[in-house]
Amino acid sequence: MSIKTEIERLRNELPEGVTLLAVSKFHPVEALREAYDAGQRAFGESRPQELKLKAETLPRDIEWHMIGHLQTNKVKQIVSEVSMIQSLDSLKLAKEISKRSSEKGVVTPCLVEVNIGDEESKTGLELSSLEELLCQVAELDGVSVQGLMTIPPICDSEKELDKYFSKMQKIFVDIKDKKLDNINMCILSMGMSSDYESAVRNGSTLVRVGSSIFGARMY
């Protein structure tokens, strides 16, 4: 199945209001250009250097999302290049994004990454620290929290997967209802190629699909 055909299939399948993010990390510029020609405009990258190189090569109307773990010393490479950072998981990182964004006179939209399964092997914030971090980030210039992102544990059944996505959606709604100052809850990013259907069923507003569109990654 071609990149164009798969993007069209996903667009037809996803409900209105759900954004398709094409996860393009480790894939060549030629593949991204094919997706772009099929109408795709939002792409996800996990390495700042790769994102920057692709942004310099491809059309300027692309929305670049940083979806991988972001080290503070890499922030300066991508601020003003990205439309969103989906992996904000600490006050230290938020302060660096604030600093670099303010230097460039921009505001960087971010999603706070939540470790919904409390897995030691994964990055992301513990649930118990979420509201405290949101209140701290709300005080910073140059950073705008737009919602939450999560990657659930590998599950043996769809029922178990639904449990994690449903829990995340309830947290998202709860925070939205609290109407925290300077915190917007308009994006819930969850779901990838293997589980986006369950994620959408449980309230996801943005899905990150890579292998279904581009095939196996070229490391």
Side-chain angles (χ1 to χ4, degrees):
M1 188 177 291
S2 70
I3 290 173
K4 178 182 179 182
T5 301
E6 183 62 9
I7 285 175
E8 289 175 348
R9 182 190 72 80
L10 287 164
R11 280 220 188 103
N12 289 331
E13 183 178 319
L14 292 173
E16 186 177 353
V18 177
T19 299
L20 171 63
L21 182 72
V23 177
S24 50
K25 59 184 182 180
F26 305 116
H27 292 287
V29 168
E30 292 75 20
L32 276 71
R33 195 176 295 279
E34 187 175 342
Y36 179 88
D37 290 342
Q40 182 64 26
R41 292 294 181 271
F43 292 85
E45 293 285 333
S46 63
R47 299 189 300 181
Q49 179 115 7
E50 185 178 356
L51 186 155
K52 191 169 175 60
L53 286 171
K54 287 176 176 176
E56 290 171 351
T57 303
L58 291 160
R60 297 298 298 176
D61 63 335
I62 286 177
E63 295 181 10
W64 296 102
H65 290 233
M66 180 68 192
I67 59 174
H69 178 63
L70 182 58
Q71 296 176 327
T72 53
N73 64 347
K74 302 290 186 181
V75 171
K76 61 184 178 182
Q77 295 182 26
I78 62 168
V79 162
S80 78
E81 294 286 351
V82 294
S83 296
M84 181 167 288
I85 294 173
Q86 292 203 19
S87 48
L88 174 57
D89 61 358
S90 70
L91 182 59
K92 180 183 177 182
L93 178 58
K95 286 181 175 179
E96 184 65 15
I97 295 170
S98 171
K99 175 185 174 183
R100 299 300 179 180
S101 298
S102 296
E103 287 174 354
K104 295 196 175 185
V106 299
V107 175
T108 302
C110 295
L111 303 182
V112 174
E113 181 180 0
V114 176
N115 187 344
I116 192 66
D118 292 325
E119 297 173 276
E120 291 184 4
S121 60
K122 280 185 181 173
T123 56
L125 200 69
E126 293 181 0
L127 279 175
S128 59
S129 304
L130 177 57
E131 191 166 336
E132 180 183 6
L133 179 70
L134 289 172
C135 291
Q136 291 170 327
V137 175
E139 300 295 322
L140 300 175
D141 295 327
V143 182
S144 175
V145 173
Q146 295 295 310
L148 306 176
M149 184 270 264
T150 197
I151 300 173
I154 296 173
C155 296
D156 295 327
S157 68
E158 193 165 336
K159 182 178 180 180
E160 185 182 3
L161 185 62
D162 278 344
K163 180 185 72 174
Y164 285 109
F165 284 142
S166 175
K167 181 179 180 180
M168 191 69 207
Q169 200 264 348
K170 288 174 183 173
I171 293 163
F172 177 78
V173 171
D174 180 57
I175 293 172
K176 180 187 286 189
D177 288 344
K178 289 181 179 179
K179 295 181 170 60
L180 301 176
D181 289 344
N182 300 321
I183 297 295
N184 299 307
M185 285 291 124
C186 50
I187 298 173
L188 178 56
S189 174
M190 57 185 194
M192 299 183 287
S193 292
S194 61
D195 59 12
Y196 71 87
E197 292 172 323
S198 173
V200 169
R201 190 165 60 245
N202 286 284
S204 175
T205 66
L206 185 151
V207 295
R208 308 177 302 274
V209 179
S211 57
S212 292
I213 295 172
F214 297 109
R217 293 172 189 160
M218 301 172 67
Y219 294 96

